[in-house]
Amino acid sequence: MIAWEGSICGALNRLLQNVPDGDWICEFCVARKAGKNVELPWIPEGKKMRRTAREKLLSGELWAARIESLWREPNGVYWIKCRWYVIPEETTAGRQSHNLRRELYRTNHLSNIEMESVIRHCYVMNPREFGGAINDGDDVFYCEYEYDVRWHSFKRIADVIDADNNEEDGNDEVWKSSDDSGGDSEGDSDFDEEEIDALFSFQDIPIPELAANSRKGRIFGLHKIGVKKIPKHVRLHKPSNMESAKSMLLPTTLPKSLPCRTKEMEEISSFIEGAMCGEQCLGRCLYIHGVPGTGKTMTVLAVLRNLRVEVDAGRMQPYCFVEVNGLKLASPENIYRVIYEALSGHRVGWKKALNLLNERFSKGSNVGKEDNRPCILLVDELDLLLTRNQSVLYNILDWPTKPNSKLIVIGIANTMDLPEKLLPRISSRMGIQRLCFGPYNYQQLQEIISSRLKGIDVFEEQAIEFASRKVAAMSGDARRALEICRRAAEVADFRVEQLSQLSKTTSLTKACPKEKHFVSIDDIEAAIREIFQAPHIQIMKTSSRMSKIMLAAMVHELYRSGLGEVTFEKLATTINSLCSSNREAPPGRDTLLKVGFKLGECRIILLEEGLKHRFLKMQLNFPSEDVTFALKDCPEIPWLSKYL
């Protein structure tokens, strides 16, 4: 028999190297129970007591996470998207008497981290599974509730309703790994060498200034993760200039400053500051329109980022900000649920959310912790909220007109004359304040690309100017210009890699100085050919005469109305008008319908499923500049270039 209490001392790891004969009782445990002062054996310098991963997790030194997805970057590094778990001490309520020792809370916070941060596999089970997991090992934990890191509220996981498919999620899926290199084995020594801990900082999470049950003066929150020792070649890897350039040219990368939109930023800033004058907040609406890729949404977000600095400095009253994108809504009515959840932190159906929001903005009743603050609502892709009776747009634009709403609505769409297409009761509430974002010219595109590549000398100036002129001549879309430059950087990087491999395999061993490689005009041309010589562009070039006229009419209608979708009846009217103006025999409705179905089979356009051919909705499946590039120099129909 061996009598030892590991929770009192660690003597078993220090003294026993083999199983003793007969009975053995730990003398340190006996002395401590008797109330004597016990001095434990000293730990060698540079060593530390070995603890299991479970003990480190429950003491806040490691983190548990549920892996949602895994992918590999072009540079070969694996990344994961994970949902974090927290221990009760890291919540605002702290550890309560009903909390189990192995209990965790699942949070609603997701992060992207490198796969190198994963130590090993653990099991997080629901109450039923945890009750039967007696012999499932040490890395087994219990989870019954979800913790909201913003509103500091708890909700049973079985009651959490998914916003998309309304399915219950009461079971945690775990990631299975065959590599258990981070675990403890029987051959491990009694003491582990000191390891380097890497910390990941998450600044976008609202963490309380002092969490409950903080231990040893440390503040706990979702702001760090303990990891195993990262290999030296990974830890000391410094990205090259070409890799940094490709990273900065991603359209999703937010630049430090937004060039070429100073005037628009000043107008948006003055609009918001004018609505929030003094301690009052006047409900207002601002409509922003312009062709795609002109920086409408990014400009508004940059203005709000600057205003947040004013709020932190105390020069402006606090406000709450809600951003909604129409493309991410399953139906226009779901915008009520998204707005209410952002204000209150609770998930309800859209009908109940509409009633509560009406009380909030019409009567000034409280629905959340930030109700007394003004609210700035940014609705991107506003035209996608159109319904048959236009009730969704009416409610959103009617709320700012109420005396106690304190609501500022900023709508963004590509359609210039959207207010004129709405019902009079809606267009009157939208107001007269509009802001137009025109397409970028080549000087502005050149400045945008150069600002992102500031301090990274890998592009020739002529190459940037050439790409800017090409894009400005077609659409003025900044995203397309960044895409071309990034692809050119990849082409140049591949060319340099091929040259380096060729130099290693050749018999020439003369030492020659390394040349500094730049992205040249040839690389830009190769990227443009690759982008604009895709299979769908070749199909457009070789399509029939009437197919080309239909595609040109769809682009013309897109530029005229700003709406991506067009009905067959309206498109047929536009085609007849174009043909009559250019002495072309107008086709019949049956012919146009066959041409439309043919383009739909090739996936050049998207057709709505249904039998109502007259009101059949049609939409381009590719950017309009691809159609312009394919048909602008068509020798068969030269007059098409006037409408592209």
Side-chain angles (χ1 to χ4, degrees):
M1 180 187 72
I2 297 178
W4 169 71
E5 298 186 15
S7 60
I8 297 180
C9 74
L12 188 62
N13 283 342
R14 296 183 177 90
L15 301 179
L16 292 185
Q17 302 296 333
N18 300 308
V19 178
D21 296 332
D23 296 339
W24 181 87
I25 300 177
C26 177
E27 57 183 7
F28 296 100
C29 297
V30 174
R32 280 197 170 186
K33 283 188 174 182
K36 299 179 181 179
N37 293 328
V38 178
E39 184 177 353
L40 297 177
W42 60 276
I43 301 176
E45 185 178 357
K47 305 286 185 176
K48 64 179 181 180
M49 288 184 56
R50 187 183 66 187
R51 294 188 299 163
T52 63
R54 175 185 62 83
E55 293 173 339
K56 293 181 180 180
L57 173 65
L58 297 178
S59 63
E61 298 180 23
L62 293 181
W63 286 76
R66 168 181 169 179
I67 296 180
E68 304 282 343
S69 60
L70 183 148
W71 69 93
R72 180 182 178 182
E73 293 290 341
N75 57 2
V77 178
Y78 286 90
W79 285 74
I80 59 173
K81 181 179 182 180
C82 60
R83 182 186 298 271
W84 298 107
Y85 290 91
V86 295
I87 58 178
E89 285 83 355
E90 292 163 337
T91 64
T92 53
R95 178 172 288 276
Q96 304 295 323
S97 58
H98 59 79
N99 289 126
L100 301 181
R101 178 57 184 162
R102 293 173 179 256
E103 185 168 0
L104 302 177
Y105 291 121
R106 193 181 75 182
T107 68
N108 58 349
H109 175 63
L110 299 173
S111 296
N112 296 336
I113 63 172
E114 291 189 23
M115 192 66 183
E116 285 287 341
S117 302
V118 177
I119 297 178
R120 71 185 192 201
H121 183 201
C122 68
Y123 299 89
V124 181
M125 301 182 177
N126 58 31
R128 179 178 299 178
E129 295 173 341
F130 186 79
I134 301 177
N135 300 319
D136 286 356
D138 191 48
D139 296 335
V140 178
F141 302 94
Y142 171 87
C143 181
E144 186 179 3
Y145 292 91
E146 181 180 273
Y147 177 67
D148 193 309
V149 296
R150 178 182 180 185
W151 301 102
H152 313 301
S153 59
F154 299 87
K155 184 176 291 187
R156 193 182 300 271
I157 293 179
D159 299 335
V160 175
I161 301 176
D162 189 85
D164 297 328
N165 51 21
N166 294 330
E167 293 182 356
E168 292 185 353
D169 186 13
N171 188 13
D172 286 331
E173 298 180 1
V174 292
W175 170 68
K176 297 182 179 180
S177 171
S178 59
D179 184 10
D180 198 18
S181 59
D184 297 327
S185 61
E186 295 180 358
D188 290 340
S189 60
D190 293 339
F191 303 98
D192 294 333
E193 296 290 336
E194 284 288 338
E195 295 183 347
I196 300 176
D197 290 333
L199 303 180
F200 291 86
S201 177
F202 304 104
Q203 302 294 339
D204 58 333
I205 309 170
I207 304 173
E209 294 183 359
L210 183 61
N213 295 359
S214 60
R215 301 182 297 275
K216 298 181 181 179
R218 293 181 294 174
I219 299 175
F220 291 87
L222 291 183
H223 61 285
K224 68 178 182 179
I225 170 175
V227 299
K228 67 178 181 180
K229 187 174 181 179
I230 300 178
K232 183 177 180 180
H233 70 278
V234 176
R235 192 170 65 249
L236 300 181
H237 173 70
K238 183 179 180 180
S240 62
N241 287 340
M242 196 67 73
E243 292 175 346
S244 301
K246 289 187 288 185
S247 176
M248 292 302 299
L249 289 173
L250 284 172
T252 55
T253 302
L254 293 177
K256 296 181 180 179
S257 61
L258 192 64
C260 307
R261 291 301 182 194
T262 305
K263 180 181 177 181
E264 289 82 358
M265 291 180 65
E266 292 177 354
E267 293 188 20
I268 298 174
S269 180
S270 61
F271 167 79
I272 297 176
E273 292 176 353
M276 299 174 60
C277 56
E279 297 182 356
Q280 297 180 352
C281 179
L282 306 176
R284 290 185 180 180
C285 295
L286 174 64
Y287 179 60
I288 301 176
H289 60 87
V291 296
T294 52
K296 300 183 293 295
T297 305
M298 191 171 293
T299 302
V300 176
L301 295 178
V303 170
L304 293 174
R305 186 168 61 243
N306 296 337
L307 293 180
R308 181 62 64 181
V309 177
E310 299 291 326
V311 172
D312 296 339
R315 294 188 293 268
M316 187 176 180
Q317 61 173 322
Y319 63 88
C320 55
F321 172 61
V322 180
E323 181 183 4
V324 183
N325 193 317
L327 290 173
K328 299 180 181 180
L329 299 176
S331 64
E333 291 80 8
N334 282 341
I335 190 174
Y336 304 133
R337 183 170 60 182
V338 175
I339 296 174
Y340 181 76
E341 183 178 353
L343 292 176
S344 65
H346 302 292
R347 302 175 186 174
V348 296
W350 70 265
K351 292 183 179 180
K352 184 177 181 180
L354 174 59
N355 296 330
L356 295 173
L357 289 175
N358 282 330
E359 295 180 0
R360 159 68 171 84
F361 296 120
S362 300
K363 302 178 183 179
S365 59
N366 294 335
V367 297
K369 299 180 180 180
E370 300 178 352
D371 291 329
N372 56 340
R373 299 182 179 183
C375 178
I376 299 177
L377 175 61
L378 174 62
V379 184
D380 203 356
E381 306 296 344
L382 184 68
D383 51 338
L384 296 181
L385 301 181
L386 285 173
T387 56
R388 178 173 297 180
N389 57 2
Q390 302 181 5
S391 59
V392 176
L393 274 180
Y394 174 78
N395 290 328
I396 293 176
L397 299 178
D398 184 57
W399 287 334
T401 62
K402 305 300 180 182
N404 301 320
S405 65
K406 295 185 179 181
L407 178 64
I408 302 172
V409 177
I410 301 177
I412 301 176
N414 300 329
T415 310
M416 179 181 298
D417 55 347
L418 177 63
E420 284 72 22
K421 297 180 180 180
L422 302 176
L423 297 175
R425 62 171 185 159
I426 302 177
S427 59
S428 62
R429 283 164 172 78
M430 184 172 287
I432 60 175
Q433 290 185 297
R434 304 184 190 181
L435 184 59
C436 178
F437 278 65
Y440 290 111
N441 54 37
Y442 85 92
Q443 293 98 337
Q444 292 174 329
L445 291 174
Q446 188 174 355
E447 184 179 352
I448 291 173
I449 298 173
S450 300
S451 64
R452 289 190 174 230
L453 297 175
K454 187 176 181 180
I456 307 175
D457 191 15
V458 294
F459 273 76
E460 295 180 354
E461 294 185 3
Q462 295 84 355
I464 297 178
E465 182 180 355
F466 179 70
S468 303
R469 287 182 179 273
K470 279 287 187 180
V471 176
M474 288 185 292
S475 62
D477 191 340
R479 292 174 296 187
R480 180 53 63 94
L482 294 174
E483 180 185 356
I484 290 175
C485 291
R486 188 175 189 275
R487 182 55 189 156
E490 293 175 351
V491 172
D493 196 12
F494 179 76
R495 172 171 50 83
V496 172
E497 185 178 354
Q498 292 293 322
L499 290 176
S500 62
Q501 292 180 357
L502 182 62
S503 63
K504 292 179 181 179
T505 56
T506 55
S507 58
L508 298 177
T509 58
K510 295 182 179 180
C512 56
K514 292 185 178 180
E515 297 182 0
K516 197 171 184 180
H517 299 280
F518 291 92
V519 179
S520 61
I521 295 181
D522 295 336
D523 299 323
I524 297 291
E525 287 183 344
I528 293 176
R529 285 195 303 268
E530 182 177 327
I531 292 176
F532 290 107
Q533 288 188 359
H536 66 277
I537 293 182
Q538 300 301 320
I539 293 176
M540 295 179 192
K541 289 183 177 181
T542 58
S543 59
S544 64
R545 183 183 184 90
M546 192 51 59
S547 298
K548 295 177 181 178
I549 295 176
M550 176 175 284
L551 292 174
M554 294 186 71
V555 173
H556 177 68
E557 189 65 27
L558 173 64
Y559 288 158
R560 190 184 66 83
S561 64
L563 296 176
E565 293 182 349
V566 60
T567 61
F568 173 75
E569 181 69 22
K570 193 170 186 179
L571 181 62
T573 304
T574 303
I575 292 175
N576 289 335
S577 176
L578 297 183
C579 292
S580 301
S581 302
N582 296 276
R583 299 179 181 180
E584 188 86 17
R589 293 292 197 272
D590 294 338
T591 303
L592 289 178
L593 195 60
K594 293 179 181 179
V595 172
F597 284 141
K598 186 67 176 179
L599 292 174
E601 292 176 359
C602 300
R603 304 299 294 175
I604 301 299
I605 63 175
L606 301 177
L607 303 176
E608 182 186 18
E609 297 181 0
L611 300 177
K612 298 180 180 180
H613 300 312
R614 181 181 177 186
F615 300 102
L616 178 68
K617 292 183 179 180
M618 312 172 73
Q619 182 179 357
L620 287 172
N621 194 26
F622 298 96
S624 59
E625 52 262 28
D626 290 359
V627 180
T628 302
F629 181 83
L631 303 180
K632 66 177 180 178
D633 297 327
C634 179
E636 183 183 359
I637 317 175
W639 55 267
L640 284 182
S641 58
K642 297 187 297 183
Y643 305 99
L644 296 174

